[in-house]
Amino acid sequence: MAAKVPDTTYAVLGLIDKVPGASGYELVAVAGRSFAHFWPISQTLIYRELDRLTDLRWVARTRVEQLHAPSKWTYHATTAGRQALADWLATPTPATSSFRSGVLLRFFFAYRLHPDQVRSLLADYRSALQTQQEEFVAIMDKLAAVSTPTARAGRLTALHGLRTAEARLRWIEEVEAQLEDDS
Amino acid sequence: MAAKVPDTTYAVLGLIDKVPGASGYELVAVAGRSFAHFWPISQTLIYRELDRLTDLRWVARTRVEQLHAPSKWTYHATTAGRQALADWLATPTPATSSFRSGVLLRFFFAYRLHPDQVRSLLADYRSALQTQQEEFVAIMDKLAAVSTPTARAGRLTALHGLRTAEARLRWIEEVEAQLEDDS
DNA sequence: GTTCCCATGTAACCCGTTACATGATTTT
DNA sequence: AAAATCATGTAACGGGTTACATGGGAAC
């Protein structure tokens, strides 16, 4: 069976499995803090996936009335949902790491730019990467103390981002060195 | 004015500027060989952008009859088109390098997997990265001799991919070492 | 004689985004 | 009095994809 749904559906399902009893609102926040760096999704999309998951009976939801805040739905994975998640995790990953870089695209056409403009393109890229770098370091610091499997996964995916950013910063150095050589 | 169009439109426009007189079919092939690694686009999309670019008068097309092959349209950038390209290149790049990784997403939920399955996930990732690595090396080798600005841009974007892949391969080593530590 | 290359296109789908709406409660 | 938090949702758009259609000439 296995209902052909996008990976995003499993992303949300996985979150619910990790954080049982969360509301849609909370899941949006958690998604923003956890896998946003390698799987960004918007609020609207999450709510749509919650509807889909409910229809699929992969999650069940419960209405919770609150005194000092609006009523909310809380979600938890069903047995079928946990099974679907496990099945999906077990299937070989189609190495579809989709990557689109506006910087590289512009750089590719940089022969239409003044050398100064190219330098400023690289400078912007550098500061964006540095910001990223700091974010990843912050995530790792925050999770450093915690020793749950979940925290470890978070640390390691942050490390992936950090190593990537570092390599790209070194690439900028290489390119800048090359640009100076022939000017 | 500057007509709010997606970056993909400029990608195709840039290609036509780089390879004047090419047909849609050829542009599809060139896109596949050149910026596909950081800005993949499908055949259908390219044809759609060609229509849009023609409507915008950023490119002009000419019908060419052939004896031993079907008739084709050939494209070249107009003055307005080259201007639009330059304008776009000059505007500050919104550092929107969108990245989505199916591997990391699965890895993030790996606590639902046997350690063996995690290892095989990493192994698959490794071989995908190695394949990528070889592709980037091949591109750089092919362009090594050529000394045009175009070839250089190709070499440097390939280097970006190569450095990224290398860093990620090293990340796999790090992670595997950590996994062994506590098994 | 089947398969590959050239060449352009149509149809349908849907994932994901942005912008906006609503309204109560708590904090500043 | 204003702003942030909690909480869920609607509407509209469009970028990008996959699958499929067509048809002649060349190559194996």
Side-chain angles (χ1 to χ4, degrees):
Chain A
M1 286 317 228
K4 220 197 68 201
V5 295
D7 282 357
T8 294
T9 308
Y10 291 102
V12 177
L13 173 60
L15 259 204
I16 295 170
D17 182 47
K18 246 187 191 182
V19 191
S23 65
Y25 184 84
E26 284 170 312
L27 289 169
V28 170
V30 175
R33 283 186 254 115
S34 59
F35 56 59
H37 287 106
F38 49 88
W39 204 272
I41 38 180
S42 62
Q43 179 252 52
T44 313
L45 188 50
I46 292 187
Y47 277 100
R48 204 150 78 196
E49 293 303 334
L50 287 175
D51 288 342
R52 181 184 346 217
L53 285 166
T54 307
D55 290 349
L56 282 169
R57 309 283 167 109
W58 284 358
V59 307
R61 57 184 192 181
T62 317
R63 195 71 181 174
V64 175
E65 310 294 336
Q66 297 179 114
L67 287 173
H68 306 300
S71 305
K72 63 180 178 181
W73 292 105
T74 59
Y75 295 85
H76 62 91
T78 62
T79 309
R82 275 186 296 272
Q83 187 58 51
L85 182 61
D87 288 350
W88 171 74
L89 281 169
T91 55
T93 309
T96 6
S97 50
S98 90
F99 172 61
R100 280 215 159 135
S101 166
V103 173
L104 289 184
L105 185 59
R106 282 163 179 84
F107 191 80
F108 190 66
F109 298 118
Y111 67 98
R112 285 261 169 226
L113 290 180
H114 290 213
D116 277 355
Q117 289 181 296
V118 177
R119 267 185 275 273
S120 99
L121 188 66
L122 288 173
D124 288 352
Y125 190 31
R126 169 179 284 125
S127 68
L129 286 169
Q130 281 167 345
T131 304
Q132 259 191 44
Q133 206 178 14
E134 286 159 28
E135 284 169 8
F136 289 127
V137 170
I139 292 174
M140 292 179 62
D141 282 354
K142 205 183 62 184
L143 297 178
V146 197
S147 67
T148 60
T150 301
R152 167 198 263 181
R155 253 177 356 242
L156 291 177
T157 52
L159 185 63
H160 182 278
L162 180 61
R163 294 290 180 245
T164 301
E166 287 167 350
R168 288 173 177 172
L169 284 166
R170 285 196 300 272
W171 173 81
I172 294 177
E173 304 281 324
E174 277 189 84
V175 173
E176 283 177 341
Q178 263 209 24
L179 290 184
E180 266 183 42
D181 275 4
D182 41 38
S183 65
Chain B
M1 291 313 224
K4 217 199 69 199
V5 295
D7 282 357
T8 293
T9 308
Y10 292 102
V12 176
L13 174 59
L15 259 204
I16 295 170
D17 181 48
K18 247 189 189 179
V19 191
S23 65
Y25 184 84
E26 284 170 311
L27 289 169
V28 171
V30 175
R33 281 186 255 114
S34 57
F35 57 58
H37 286 105
F38 49 87
W39 202 271
I41 38 180
S42 63
Q43 178 250 52
T44 312
L45 187 51
I46 292 188
Y47 277 101
R48 204 150 81 195
E49 293 304 334
L50 287 174
D51 289 342
R52 174 173 1 205
L53 286 166
T54 306
D55 291 347
L56 283 169
R57 308 285 166 112
W58 285 357
V59 307
R61 59 183 190 180
T62 318
R63 192 72 179 173
V64 175
E65 309 292 336
Q66 298 180 114
L67 288 173
H68 306 300
S71 305
K72 63 180 177 183
W73 291 104
T74 60
Y75 296 85
H76 63 92
T78 62
T79 308
R82 274 186 297 274
Q83 187 58 51
L85 182 62
D87 289 349
W88 172 74
L89 281 169
T91 55
T93 308
T96 6
S97 50
S98 89
F99 172 60
R100 280 218 159 135
S101 167
V103 172
L104 289 184
L105 185 59
R106 282 164 180 85
F107 191 79
F108 190 66
F109 298 118
Y111 67 97
R112 283 262 169 224
L113 289 179
H114 290 213
D116 278 357
Q117 290 181 295
V118 178
R119 268 185 275 272
S120 100
L121 188 66
L122 288 173
D124 288 353
Y125 190 31
R126 169 180 284 127
S127 66
L129 286 169
Q130 281 167 344
T131 305
Q132 261 191 44
Q133 207 179 11
E134 286 160 28
E135 284 169 8
F136 288 128
V137 170
I139 292 174
M140 292 180 62
D141 283 355
K142 207 183 63 187
L143 297 178
V146 197
S147 67
T148 60
T150 300
R152 169 199 263 182
R155 249 175 0 240
L156 291 178
T157 52
L159 185 63
H160 183 279
L162 181 61
R163 295 290 181 242
T164 301
E166 287 167 350
R168 288 174 177 172
L169 284 167
R170 284 195 302 270
W171 173 80
I172 294 177
E173 304 281 324
E174 279 189 83
V175 174
E176 283 178 341
Q178 265 209 17
L179 290 185
E180 266 184 44
D181 274 5
D182 41 38
S183 65

